[in-house]
Amino acid sequence: WMNTKNKIDELRSKIDDYDDKILDLLVKRFELSDKIGSIKQNSNSEILDTDREKQIINRLVNKFSTIDKEHIKSIFIQIFNVSKLIQEKKK
């Protein structure tokens, strides 16, 4: 039992490390989104770009075929939503 708990704790610690890295990368992604929002505001462009969102999902699905398309889509819809909120604050 103790060996199992230790192994789970060790794996959870690795997950924590990955979570930190994921969030760090998301912060960087959202900073870029913020810059895009400024450009869109200055050019009176629409925030929503469904073609771009589909393009991103399709690229990722093709690149990471071990992950189900619906899972990738679910994750990135949330990322897109945060990005749009950041860009809308520019208006």
Side-chain angles (χ1 to χ4, degrees):
W1 159 250
M2 201 55 185
N3 194 15
T4 301
K5 185 178 180 343
N6 288 344
K7 188 64 178 170
I8 289 172
D9 287 345
E10 180 184 323
L11 292 170
R12 284 180 174 163
S13 177
K14 288 180 181 182
I15 286 175
D16 289 346
D17 290 342
Y18 282 120
D19 286 346
D20 290 349
K21 290 174 184 173
I22 290 167
L23 201 52
D24 183 53
L25 291 172
L26 284 171
V27 166
K28 291 175 182 172
R29 188 189 194 286
F30 295 142
E31 287 170 352
L32 294 173
S33 229
D34 187 46
K35 290 179 183 180
I36 290 171
S38 294
I39 294 168
K40 285 180 176 180
Q41 180 187 23
N42 291 335
S43 64
N44 290 322
S45 299
E46 289 293 317
I47 299 294
L48 180 63
D49 188 345
T50 53
D51 289 339
R52 172 69 176 145
E53 291 180 6
K54 288 176 190 171
Q55 187 181 63
I56 291 169
I57 289 171
N58 288 333
R59 179 181 61 80
L60 293 171
V61 166
N62 290 328
K63 188 172 183 177
F64 298 95
S65 58
T66 58
I67 303 173
D68 183 85
K69 178 180 181 173
E70 290 306 310
H71 294 157
I72 291 173
K73 191 174 178 181
S74 175
I75 292 165
F76 273 82
I77 284 173
Q78 296 307 313
I79 292 171
F80 298 152
N81 287 340
V82 173
S83 292
K84 287 182 273 198
L85 288 171
I86 288 168
Q87 291 181 8
E88 286 170 359
K89 286 183 181 178
K90 293 288 176 190
K91 290 196 166 202

